[in-house]
Structure formats: structure tokens, C-alpha cells
């Protein structure tokens, strides 16, 4: 630790200031070079799927400039740009946490004493060794050790705790938040004044270390990793298909069409113009195959699915800051969660009072049976507090003070003069006040109980606190403590004291405080466990309270040395030992500020998709580092900006719903890919095989544009509305590196796509259909019916792709937009058939013929039903 030790209370001289700044640096936070928005936007165009698509489109434009469909190409490029732009905005916004942290430290001025003169200087000019002069309302601008004076400080910006702590000279010199001697940058002085010598500045402060962690790069999300795998898979498939098509076309052009006559083949190879035109046409086919094989609507579809679900989740008290965080939540393997406010209600209340006689009074009304004792307890609660009662309830002080006041207060007691007061501190662990009525003390049982010699009975008189009574009282106290309740002793003293040695005390009673576990917490935890998500509670409470709350919430069943660990023991473990312990861990008690970040790193090193909850500035680094950071809505701005998702009601049940939505979204993406690749497979097959059966364009360019609109925009919107089903939470989480294209998807794409392709080719080749529909008399009429067949086959494939169950219409009523979009596509298709004319190469058809074609296209559904049956039989 940096620290300059000097007895000179005049402060540093100008020469010492320069030397200190040269040695320890300036009081500024280090800013790592950050990508500009434009550079980040360009970088996101390197997304695997987008990169393959852009390369294919570029080659297509360069080689086939005259024949390029500029409308379709422009539409694809616009979709790619919009999805990339939205993604960049989301990522860019996540970096604001550091900016807010940097600005939030109060880049204003502060008072220092230099060379015997008090002066006001900019905060960044403070150096190690400076004498900071602090008083109420001022922000602490550096980590410093108090030399003189006393003040109360709000450290909630650093640790999320609203309790004000007292800082004074002397005492332990450990530079941590619990130290009564040190003040830290980012804290706010509430009352009092003090002089403190600066020990650390800039990046060496606790605040600076948090800022540095907020600038660390996080790893790729599971979705981005999976899309990389998908891009490679699709590229390979596209290249293989393109190669096969090229070989088939060249074989047809040079050998098959020449009837394998050697002289004819030689003549074709010697004809330079023929060879050039053939090769150019081959290149055209290859590029067409690659472009069609790539699901160009996928980037926009993912953006549509994520953004549409963001609105739904907001109704469930979940605000999504980074869209990719939703899908990642569905892959969670482990969740590190706070206790207060997340598992519990976050509101302290008094459950009752345990007296020295071993009697437990659950309410003030019950205490009325012992009026003298009740009056003494009430005076202790009302006099020894930093809270006050208003018509709207208790205000001020900490949650414990307010809870006690709410329980005991009945009417305003007479005003008395406060003779002396010792406020509560984390080091002292008690508070005392001396009034004209008496001296009242409240504090931790382990500190006060050894000094108790008497207790006040129900009769209002003091009685000896015998060893037997003490043992009985301790047994009862442990029972309440092990149930997750906290005890606060109320005592009186005969004399006020100074220093650390307490006088003999008389016990009034132990106030039993409880922050109740949320009613829905256990169900939420059980749901997460069923979903394969391990829940680990991280809290600053003691072991007994932590274990009791974890048991009640369903996180812990039987505490053992493996599943419960304290912050001190955790600090002694090496990284390897922590990784070995982590699979068994359920509770971390007395957690230290850096424990969350270390736990996240350990979990990620094991390949786990990690979630973390938090609400304070000290939680911001772990929130950003985690694969999914769940910031609490009641937390600091910095915590919310560092997180991916904000839980507006601070409720773990909302996190459970986020996991469900994440799994639903991943399934929606898979469904869309299944549908689009099936249709791509069919479109490629029809376009290429059509040339070998004498039909150069079974589907025209304009018609293909309509097909792409169905497959991309409308298809994405249709699958974006898939409902979150409870059954998804009975599945194990997907592995981080699991590929999007699963075996079941490949099975459906290949077989259902093959059936659809065979159906289309049979329609084009069948003499009986050609005769029935009068193809010889009107080719346009026949191809109009084929266009209808192709579109309605696509609609049938939509239904096949949206459900993995045998019942294709399962839960379809909960996705009404899907039905609306399918109906809309059908209506537009009818309009195109009857009014498309030469633009869409269509002509009005007889209703009977159209009905027959629609029935033929619907055979895709029973065909896929049979495929599902065989696939399930094979899997069993």
C-alpha cells in the first residue's frame, strides 16, 4: 500500500507534492483505450454469419454485375446493417458503467492543508501524503487514514449497505471497508469533520480497482459462439453443394449433352467461347447456391426475436439492457445470488422479544402483560436510535433502527436531554445513549452478553442472571439464530463509560429481527434446480443465518464442509482448490468484496455459463464479468449499467422467468433456422434441377424475392412470438459450446426438405398433372400453380418447424401472431396469383385447381409426422 508517514500536520510542501505525484501518480482513474462506436460497428460486421453472407453477395455483385437482383441485394444489406447497428448500440451502452463510475467519484474540488495553509484544489491534483479536510456533505476523493476528528460516512456507493459508519483516529489500520480508521474514495461524509492523510490515489484506490475491473474484456456470449459454429457448418454445406452442382453442370454441358461422342466432346473443349460461357454459367450457379444456402435473414431474425421478447419481459419486471443477455440466461449453469432483497423481502421486521426469563413475546400487545418491562424496552428503542417516527412511519437511521421503532412505538414519549451518545459502528458493534431517564445500550449478543449480570423480569424488577439462566437464554438465542433470525440485545447500565471496556449491564431482552424469505423464493429456486441451474447464495451474514435462509429458500438441504464456506476460508483456497470445491458449493457466508469476481472466474474456467446478481458499485465488476449480470432495480446506476439484465423487483422469481425466456428464444432461433434451411434446400434444388428438366426458371427472380420475404422478415416475426412453456424448465441447460444445428434439426431439414423438393420436381415432371392442368395450352397457368405449390409448401413447413412434438399445433393458440402471419401470407399469395400478372408471372387459376395444389402442399405435414415417429422410435 502506498502511504507517506510523517508527523508534520502542516501538510506537504510544493516540492513534496511534486515528488509524491512523480512516485505514486496523479489522482485520476486509468482509462484503457476504447473502441469508437464506428470501429465497434465495423468489428461487428465480422460476425461469422454476416461475414459469409457479405462475401457471397460481394462476389455475386462483382461477377454477375449485369444480372444482379439489386432490390433483393439491397434488402439483404439493409437487414444486415440494421441488425449489426442494433447489436453495436447494445454493446456500446454496456461500456457506460465505467464512464458513470469515473464521473460519479465527484470530479470536483476538495480541501487540503499544504505547508500550513488550507486550500481548495481539483480532486485530480490530490497526492499521496496530502492532508484531506473533510466535513458533512463532502465527497471523499482518495483513500485516506483519519488522523483526527470523527465523522459518519455513507459507503453505500462501494458496498451497497445503507448503514452509515463512524470513522475516527486510532484503532485497527487495516485498509478495508470495515476499518473505522480509513475512508475511501467515493464515500460521502454525512456528519462530523476530520483530518485524514491520503494513503492511495487514482487507480490504487478501492474505487480505482473497481474502475479497472469494469474495463476488462468479457468473453464471447454462448449465442455468438454458436453462430460461429453455424457459419462454419453452413459454409461447408454451401461449398459442398456448390461443388457438386458445378461438377454436375460441367458434366452435363461437356459430356451428357454431347451423348458421350468423343469428337463432339473434343469440339466443345476446343470452342473457346463455349468454354468461357459454360464456365461463367458454372460460376453463376456456384454463387447462387452459396448465397441461397446462407440464411441471410438470420441476423435480422435474431434481432427481431430478442427485441420483441424484451417488451414481454418488461411486463414481468425484467428490463433487458443487452439483447444477447436474454438468450445467454437460458444457458445458465450456475447462479450466484445475493440474500437480502433477492431471496428475502429486503425489509427488516421484529418477530418478537426474548426476555431473560426465557419468555418470547410475539407482539407489543403480548408484552402488555409485563408493563414495566415493556416500558423499559420501548424507551430503549425510542431513545437509543437514529430513526424518528413520522405520520407515514419511521424514517432515517438504518433498517434495524426503523424496525425496532415500528414495533415498540405507540406514542411520543416526553422529551429528554441527551447527556452522552456512542453511535453504532461495525467495530464497536453496539450503540449507547445516556439520558435523564437512564442509560440504554443495544448491540450484538456475543459482545454484550458477557457483561450482563442481571435481567429485568416481567415484574419490572432486576434479577440475578445465573449461569443456569444464561445457558438457557443462550440455547434459545441459538435456536432463533439457526432459524435465520438476528438477535439484538437491549440493556441498561448504571454509569456511562469511555473507551472500549463495558460496565455491568442489565438485560431487558433480545429483540428478534427477521428479513422474511420471499414466498415465491423456494419455488423459484426449485424451478432453477429442476432446470439444471445450480444456485449459490453469497452473503455477508454469519454462518447460522446464512445456512438458515439457504435452507428455507431451498438452496441447501444439509450443510456440510463442502457446500458451506466462509469468506476467510475461501480466501485461503488456491484457484485449483476453489474449482474443485465449486461443484459442491451452495452457500458463501461472510463474503468479502472480491469474492464474487473470483467465484465468477472459477466457474467460467470450468466451462460453466455463469450468472451473478448485484446492486452496489462493488458488484459492478462481477456483474460485467459474468456471462449474465443480473443487476437489481434498487441498486446503484453503475451496477445497473454493468449488468446485462435489470431485475426491477429484485426478485429471484423474475430471474427464473428470464431463464425461461432465454430458453424459449434459443428454441425460436432453432425453429427459424430449421424452417429457413429447409426452404433454402428446396429452393436451391428447384432452381438448379429445373435447368436439367428443361425449365430455366421454375421460380422467377421476383417470385424468389417474395419467397425470401416469407423466409426472412415474416418468418422471423412468426417465430418471435413463440410462448415460453414450463416444460422448457425441465430440460438440462445447453452447453456453452453446443452447436445450433442439432442432429434432430439436420434430420428434419434433410428429410422434410427432400420430401418438399421431390414433391415440387414431381409436379414439374408429372405428365398426368401436366395434362390435367393443361400445361401444353398455357405454360404460365401451370407455373402459376407451381408457384402456389411452392409457397404453400413453405407455409406447411412453418407449422412443421414450430413444434418438436408429435402434435404440430401444440400451444399454437398462445402464438396468435404466428396464425395471423400465416393467414396474411396466404391472402397476399392469393392476390399475387389473381392480380400479379406479368410482373409475378401469374395468371388467375380455377378455384378447384388451386384447392388441389394446396392439398398437395399440405401433404408435407403428414410426411413430417411420419418422419417424427420414425425418429422417435430410433431414439428410444
Amino acid at each position: 500500500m502506498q502511504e507517506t508517514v510523517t508527523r508534520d500536520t502542516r501538510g506537504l510542501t510544493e516540492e513534496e507534492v511534486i515528488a509524491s505525484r512523480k512516485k505514486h501518480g496523479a489522482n485520476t482513474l486509468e482509462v484503457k483505450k476504447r473502441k469508437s462506436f464506428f470501429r465497434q460497428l465495423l468489428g461487428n460486421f465480422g460476425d461469422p454469419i454476416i461475414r459469409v453472407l457479405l462475401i457471397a453477395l460481394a462476389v455475386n455483385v462483382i461477377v454477375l454485375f449485369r444480372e444482379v437482383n439489386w432490390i433483393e441485394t439491397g434488402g439483404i444489406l439493409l437487414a444486415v446493417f440494421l441488425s449489426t447497428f442494433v447489436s453495436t448500440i447494445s454493446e456500446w451502452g454496456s461500456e457506460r458503467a465505467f464512464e458513470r463510475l469515473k464521473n460519479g467519484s465527484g470530479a470536483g474540488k476538495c480541501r487540503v492543508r499544504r505547508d500550513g495553509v488550507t486550500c481548495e484544489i481539483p480532486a485530480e491534483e490530490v497526492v499521496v501524503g496530502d492532508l484531506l479536510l473533510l466535513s458533512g456533505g463532502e465527497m471523499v476523493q482518495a483513500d485516506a487514514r483519519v488522523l483526527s476528528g470523527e465523522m459518519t460516512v455513507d459507503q453505500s456507493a462501494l458496498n451497497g449497505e445503507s448503514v452509515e459508519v463512524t470513522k475516527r483516529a486510532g484503532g485497527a489500520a487495516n485498509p478495508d471497508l470495515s476499518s473505522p480508521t480509513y475512508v475511501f474514495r467515493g464515500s460521502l461524509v454525512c456528519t462530523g469533520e476530520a483530518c485524514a492523510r491520503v494513503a492511495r490515489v487514482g487507480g490504487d484506490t478501492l474505487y480505482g480497482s473497481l474502475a479497472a475491473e469494469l474495463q476488462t474484456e468479457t468473453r464471447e456470449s454462448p449465442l455468438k459462439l454458436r453462430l460461429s459454429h453455424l457459419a462454419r457448418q453452413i459454409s461447408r454445406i454451401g461449398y459442398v453443394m456448390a461443388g457438386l452442382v458445378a461438377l454436375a453442370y460441367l458434366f452435363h454441358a461437356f459430356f451428357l449433352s454431347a451423348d458421350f461422342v468423343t469428337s463432339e466432346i473434343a469440339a466443345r473443349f476446343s470452342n473457346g467461347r463455349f468454354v468461357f460461357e459454360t464456365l461463367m454459367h458454372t460460376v453463376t450457379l456456384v454463387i447462387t447456391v452459396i448465397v441461397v444456402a446462407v440464411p441471410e435473414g438470420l441476423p435480422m431474425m435474431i434481432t427481431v426475436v430478442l427485441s420483441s421478447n424484451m417488451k414481454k419481459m418488461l411486463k414481468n419486471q425484467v428490463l433487458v439492457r443487452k439483447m444477447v443477455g436474454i438468450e445467454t440466461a437460458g444457458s445458465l449453469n450456475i447462479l450466484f445470488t445475493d440474500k437480502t432483497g433477492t431471496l428475502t423481502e429486503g425489509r427488516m421486521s421484529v418477530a418478537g422479544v426474548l426476555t431473560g426469563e426465557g419468555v418470547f413475546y410475539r407482539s407489543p400487545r403480548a408484552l402488555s402483560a409485563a408493563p414495566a418491562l415493556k416500558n423499559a424496552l420501548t424507551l430503549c428503542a425510542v431513545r437509543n436510535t437514529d430513526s424518528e417516527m413520522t405520520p407515514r412511519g419511521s424514517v432515517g437511521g438504518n433498517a434495524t433502527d426503523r424496525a425496532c421503532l415500528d414495533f415498540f412505538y405507540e406514542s411520543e414519549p416526553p422529551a429528554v436531554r441527551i447527556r452522552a451518545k456512542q453511535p453504532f459502528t461495525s467495530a464497536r458493534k453496539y450503540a449507547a445513549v445516556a439520558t435523564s431517564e437512564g442509560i440504554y445500550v443495544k448491540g450484538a449478543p456475543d459482545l454484550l452478553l458477557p457483561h450482563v449480570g442481571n435481567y429485568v423480569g416481567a415484574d419490572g424488577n432486576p434479577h440475578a442472571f445465573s449461569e443456569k439462566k444464561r445457558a438457557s437464554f443462550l440455547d434459545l438465542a441459538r435456536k432463533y439464530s439457526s432459524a435465520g433470525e438476528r438477535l439484538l440485545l437491549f440493556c441498561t447500565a448504571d454509569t456511562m463509560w469511555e473507551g472500549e471496556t463495558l460496565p455491568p449491564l442489565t438485560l431487558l431482552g433480545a429483540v428478534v429481527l427477521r428479513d422474511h424469505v420471499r414466498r415465491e423464493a423456494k419455488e423459484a429456486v426449485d424451478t432453477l434446480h429442476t432446470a439444471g441451474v445450480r444456485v449459490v447464495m453469497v452473503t455477508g451474514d454469519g454462518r447460522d443465518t446464512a445456512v438458515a435462509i439457504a435452507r428455507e429458500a431451498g438452496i441447501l438441504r444439509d450443510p456440510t464442509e463442502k457446500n458451506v464456506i466462509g469468506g476467510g476460508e475461501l480466501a485461503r483456497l488456491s484457484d485449483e482448490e476453489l474449482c474443485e470445491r465449486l461443484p459442491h458449493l451452495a452457500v458463501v457466508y461472510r463474503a468479502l468484496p472480491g469474492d464474487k469476481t473470483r467465484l465468477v472466474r472459477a466457474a467460467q474456467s470450468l466451462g460453466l455459463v455463469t450468472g451473478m446478481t448485484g446492486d452496489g458499485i462493488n458488484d459492478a465488476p462481477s456483474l460485467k464479468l459474468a456471462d449474465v449480470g443480473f443487476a437489481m432495480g434498487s441498486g446503484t446506476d453503475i451496477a445497473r449499467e454493468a449488468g446485462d439484465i435489470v431485475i426491477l423487483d429484485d426478485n429471484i422469481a423474475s430471474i427464473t422467468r428470464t431463464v425461461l425466456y432465454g430458453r424459449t428464444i434459443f428454441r425460436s432461433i432453432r425453429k427459424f433456422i430449421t424452417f429457413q434451411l429447409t426452404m433454402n434446400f428446396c429452393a436451391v434444388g428447384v432452381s438448379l434441377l429445373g435447368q436439367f428438366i428443361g425449365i430455366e426458371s421454375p421460380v422467377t427472380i421476383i417470385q424468389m424475392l417474395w419467397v425470401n420475404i416469407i423466409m426472412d422478415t415474416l418468418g422471423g416475426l412468426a417465430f418471435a412470438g413463440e410462448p415460453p412453456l414450463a416444460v422448457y424448465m425441465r430440460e438440462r441447460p445447453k452447453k456453452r459450446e453446443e452447436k445450433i444445428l442439432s442432429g434432430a434439426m439436420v434430420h428434419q431439414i434433410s428429410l422434410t426438405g427432400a420430401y418438399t423438393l421431390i414433391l415440387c420436381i414431381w409436379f414439374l415432371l408429372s405428365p398426368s398433372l401436366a395434362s390435367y392442368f393443361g400445361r401444353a395450352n398455357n405454360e404460365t397457368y401451370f407455373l402459376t400453380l407451381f408457384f402456389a405449390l411452392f409457397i404453400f409448401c413453405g407455409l406447411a413447413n412453418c407449422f412443421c418447424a414450430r413444434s418438436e412434438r408429435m402434435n404440430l399445433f401444440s400451444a399454437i393458440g398462445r402464438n396468435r401472431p404466428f396464425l395471423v402471419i400465416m393467414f396474411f401470407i396466404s391472402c397476399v399469395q392469393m392476390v399475387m396469383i389473381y392480380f400479379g400478372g406479368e410482373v409475378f408471372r401469374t395468371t388467375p387459376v380455377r378455384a378447384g385447381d388451386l384447392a388441389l395444389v394446396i392439398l398437395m402442399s399440405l401433404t408435407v405435414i403428414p410426411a413430417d409426422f411420419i418422419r417424427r415417429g420414425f425418429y422417435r422410435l430410433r431414439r428410444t
Side-chain angles (χ1 to χ4, degrees):
M1 181 192 72
Q2 309 170 10
E3 186 166 4
T4 299
V5 179
T6 175
R7 295 181 180 178
D8 183 12
T9 57
R10 292 175 57 83
L12 302 179
T13 64
E14 189 63 32
E15 292 76 15
E16 289 172 328
V17 169
I18 295 172
S20 179
R21 186 175 290 120
K22 184 176 181 181
K23 181 178 180 180
H24 301 297
N27 190 29
T28 55
L29 301 181
E30 181 183 355
V31 181
K32 295 181 180 177
K33 190 174 181 181
R34 180 186 177 191
K35 287 182 180 178
S36 65
F37 180 84
F38 183 69
R39 284 187 62 190
Q40 200 160 339
L41 177 64
L42 291 179
N44 283 343
F45 278 108
D47 179 273
I49 291 288
I50 291 176
R51 187 171 59 245
V52 171
L53 179 60
L54 290 178
I55 291 173
L57 286 177
V59 174
N60 187 28
V61 170
I62 293 170
V63 177
L64 309 172
F65 186 81
R66 293 183 179 179
E67 301 177 20
V68 169
N69 179 2
W70 292 104
I71 297 176
E72 181 180 358
T73 302
I76 294 172
L77 288 174
L78 179 61
V80 167
F81 174 77
L82 288 177
S83 62
T84 307
F85 186 75
V86 171
S87 174
T88 305
I89 289 176
S90 176
E91 294 172 10
W92 179 258
S94 72
E95 301 300 326
R96 290 183 58 203
F98 168 72
E99 295 295 334
R100 185 177 286 272
L101 182 65
K102 181 183 173 186
N103 297 332
S105 62
K109 295 185 176 183
C110 59
R111 293 179 299 124
V112 298
R113 185 182 299 141
R114 287 181 177 174
D115 208 8
V117 178
T118 299
C119 53
E120 190 176 59
I121 62 172
E124 58 268 21
E125 292 184 10
V126 173
V127 298
V128 171
D130 261 330
L131 294 181
L132 274 181
L133 303 179
L134 301 167
S135 60
E138 292 183 328
M139 186 75 73
V140 180
Q141 300 292 354
D143 293 358
R145 185 175 182 180
V146 178
L147 297 179
S148 62
E150 182 173 322
M151 57 188 173
T152 59
V153 176
D154 179 1
Q155 299 181 150
S156 59
L158 296 171
N159 58 13
E161 298 177 8
S162 58
V163 179
E164 296 173 8
V165 294
T166 302
K167 303 288 184 177
R168 59 163 61 88
N174 298 324
D176 57 49
L177 287 172
S178 63
S179 170
T181 306
Y182 272 86
V183 289
F184 298 88
R185 179 173 181 167
S187 302
L188 177 67
V189 180
C190 299
T191 61
E193 57 184 29
C195 175
R197 176 170 285 117
V198 174
R200 296 179 296 198
V201 295
D204 292 322
T205 61
L206 175 61
Y207 205 86
S209 65
L210 294 175
E213 290 189 63
L214 278 175
Q215 296 183 81
T216 56
E217 293 293 328
T218 55
R219 64 178 183 173
E220 283 188 336
S221 68
L223 180 59
K224 199 164 187 178
L225 204 62
R226 290 164 182 159
L227 288 175
S228 298
H229 289 306
L230 179 64
R232 288 193 290 270
Q233 286 177 306
I234 291 176
S235 298
R236 290 167 188 161
I237 293 171
Y239 297 151
V240 170
M241 289 178 64
L244 292 174
V245 167
L247 290 174
Y249 181 76
L250 291 173
F251 181 78
H252 177 271
F254 287 103
F255 297 97
L256 192 61
S257 60
D259 297 325
F260 295 99
V261 177
T262 305
S263 58
E264 183 67 24
I265 293 171
R268 294 195 173 192
F269 272 105
S270 61
N271 187 336
R273 183 175 180 180
F274 177 79
V275 171
F276 176 77
E277 291 178 351
T278 302
L279 290 176
M280 287 301 299
H281 194 68
T282 303
V283 171
T284 303
L285 291 177
V286 166
I287 293 173
T288 302
V289 170
I290 293 174
V291 171
V292 175
V294 176
E296 62 269 22
L298 182 58
M300 179 53 74
M301 180 270 171
I302 291 174
T303 301
V304 169
V305 170
L306 294 177
S307 59
S308 64
N309 278 275
M310 284 170 63
K311 296 178 182 178
K312 297 178 187 176
M313 294 173 71
L314 190 58
K315 297 177 182 177
N316 288 302
Q317 300 298 308
V318 178
L319 173 64
V320 180
R321 291 196 62 258
K322 304 177 193 174
M323 290 193 297
V324 74
I326 317 175
E327 190 280 329
T328 306
S331 301
L332 273 187
N333 299 116
I334 187 169
L335 173 67
F336 296 103
T337 178
D338 289 326
K339 174 186 75 70
T340 305
T342 306
L343 293 170
T344 64
E345 294 175 351
R347 296 191 303 272
M348 193 70 72
S349 61
V350 176
V353 180
L354 176 66
T355 67
E357 294 175 320
V359 180
F360 184 73
Y361 295 95
R362 295 185 179 277
S363 67
R365 184 176 181 181
L367 260 174
S368 298
L373 177 59
K374 178 183 178 182
N375 183 60
L377 286 164
T378 301
L379 287 174
C380 186
V382 173
R383 303 301 188 198
N384 191 10
T385 183
D386 290 327
S387 300
E388 60 179 311
M389 187 59 69
T390 69
R392 295 185 178 181
S394 58
V395 295
N398 56 44
T400 302
D401 280 347
R402 292 193 296 273
C404 292
L405 198 59
D406 288 336
F407 184 83
F408 287 105
Y409 187 92
E410 291 182 346
S411 62
E412 185 67 28
V416 295
R417 185 172 65 88
I418 303 297
R419 295 175 177 173
K421 187 172 184 179
Q422 292 190 12
F424 179 89
T425 67
S426 56
R428 185 186 289 143
K429 294 187 178 179
Y430 69 84
V433 63
T435 72
S436 55
E437 297 169 323
I439 299 170
Y440 302 102
V441 185
K442 67 179 180 183
D446 56 341
L447 184 74
L448 299 186
L449 208 55
H451 301 276
V452 172
N454 297 301
Y455 70 90
V456 175
D459 57 4
N461 298 317
H463 301 272
F465 200 48
S466 64
E467 289 303 318
K468 184 177 180 180
K469 282 283 186 184
R470 187 185 300 271
S472 175
F473 183 84
L474 283 171
D475 287 341
L476 289 170
R478 290 192 192 99
K479 184 184 92 171
Y480 290 112
S481 180
S482 62
E485 292 165 325
R486 178 184 161 209
L487 272 67
L488 185 70
L489 253 58
F490 276 24
C491 305
T492 62
D494 293 330
T495 59
M496 199 61 179
W497 66 98
E498 292 183 3
E500 304 296 327
T501 304
L502 290 166
L505 302 174
T506 298
L507 175 67
L508 297 176
V511 176
V512 180
L513 297 149
R514 183 170 183 81
D515 182 7
H516 293 278
V517 173
R518 291 180 181 270
R519 286 180 298 175
E520 61 273 26
K522 189 176 188 307
E523 182 182 354
V525 170
D526 289 342
T527 301
L528 288 171
H529 284 165
T530 303
V533 182
R534 289 190 51 247
V535 181
V536 179
M537 186 179 80
V538 184
T539 178
D541 287 329
R543 190 182 193 279
D544 289 345
T545 302
V547 167
I549 295 296
R551 274 179 162 171
E552 189 175 348
I555 293 173
L556 184 67
R557 293 181 181 175
D558 298 309
T560 66
E561 291 183 358
K562 284 189 175 181
N563 55 28
V564 178
I565 189 173
E569 184 183 352
L570 183 67
R572 291 191 293 271
L573 293 180
S574 66
D575 291 343
E576 293 75 16
E577 291 171 330
L578 176 57
C579 288
E580 290 177 9
R581 187 82 172 267
L582 194 59
H584 310 284
L585 206 57
V587 175
V588 180
Y589 65 93
R590 295 295 186 206
L592 304 173
D595 287 344
K596 285 188 172 183
T597 301
R598 191 174 178 214
L599 287 167
V600 170
R601 293 188 191 279
Q604 290 180 338
S605 70
L606 294 175
L608 302 177
V609 178
T610 308
M612 174 63 75
T613 70
D615 55 9
I617 289 178
N618 61 317
D619 295 326
S622 59
L623 287 172
K624 182 177 180 183
L625 181 65
D627 295 298
V628 189
F630 296 99
M632 298 298 107
S634 61
T636 62
D637 289 341
I638 295 166
R640 290 197 295 269
E641 290 185 7
D644 304 290
I645 293 170
V646 179
I647 306 300
L648 298 176
D649 59 357
D650 297 1
N651 197 334
I652 193 170
S654 298
I655 296 178
T656 304
R657 289 191 287 271
T658 305
V659 174
L660 174 58
Y661 270 103
R663 296 189 172 190
T664 305
I665 286 168
F666 184 62
R667 281 177 169 269
S668 296
I669 292 171
R670 275 187 158 175
K671 290 173 183 179
F672 175 77
I673 291 172
T674 299
F675 161 67
Q676 194 171 62
L677 291 184
T678 301
M679 291 304 296
N680 282 358
F681 176 70
C682 186
V684 170
V686 168
S687 298
L688 298 176
L689 293 179
Q691 301 188 46
F692 295 99
I693 61 176
I695 304 175
E696 185 175 346
S697 298
V699 180
T700 67
I701 292 176
I702 295 297
Q703 289 174 346
M704 189 59 72
L705 179 60
W706 168 235
V707 171
N708 279 345
I709 291 173
I710 295 174
M711 290 194 296
D712 299 345
T713 308
L714 297 178
L717 290 172
F719 289 108
E722 282 299 289
L725 303 178
V727 68
Y728 299 160
M729 295 298 280
R730 294 198 287 269
E731 301 172 354
R732 305 302 296 175
K734 301 291 185 290
K735 292 182 180 179
R736 174 177 160 78
E737 64 278 1
E738 181 171 331
K739 298 174 182 177
I740 291 182
L741 209 56
S742 65
M745 292 172 66
V746 172
H747 191 269
Q748 181 171 350
I749 292 166
S750 56
L751 294 188
T752 306
Y755 176 82
T756 308
L757 176 60
I758 290 170
L759 179 64
C760 290
I761 297 301
W762 172 74
F763 186 94
L764 293 172
L765 292 178
S766 172
S768 57
L769 287 178
S771 173
Y772 181 80
F773 293 126
R775 181 178 184 180
N777 300 323
N778 193 339
E779 179 76 6
T780 302
Y781 187 91
F782 182 77
L783 291 178
T784 299
L785 291 172
F786 174 76
F787 180 40
L789 174 72
F790 190 85
I791 294 297
F792 285 109
C793 278
L795 296 182
N797 272 307
C798 262
F799 283 91
C800 294
R802 70 159 296 274
S803 177
E804 298 172 357
R805 300 184 178 187
M806 294 301 291
N807 178 12
L808 298 182
F809 303 100
S810 173
I812 197 168
R814 294 179 61 186
N815 186 4
R816 293 182 180 178
F818 181 90
L819 296 174
V820 171
I821 290 171
M822 294 300 105
F823 178 74
F824 174 76
I825 293 173
S826 301
C827 291
V828 174
Q829 183 62 27
M830 294 296 185
V831 171
M832 287 186 177
I833 289 173
Y834 289 98
F835 302 101
E838 293 183 3
V839 176
F840 284 92
R841 199 187 64 184
T842 58
T843 188
V845 298
R846 293 183 294 273
D849 291 346
L850 182 59
L852 178 60
V853 166
I854 292 174
L855 285 175
M856 291 171 61
S857 66
L858 293 180
T859 60
V860 170
I861 293 177
D864 188 69
F865 181 83
I866 295 170
R867 178 202 64 78
R868 290 168 191 248
F870 278 113
Y871 184 76
R872 292 199 172 196
L873 286 174
R874 195 180 70 177
R875 293 288 300 272
T876 55

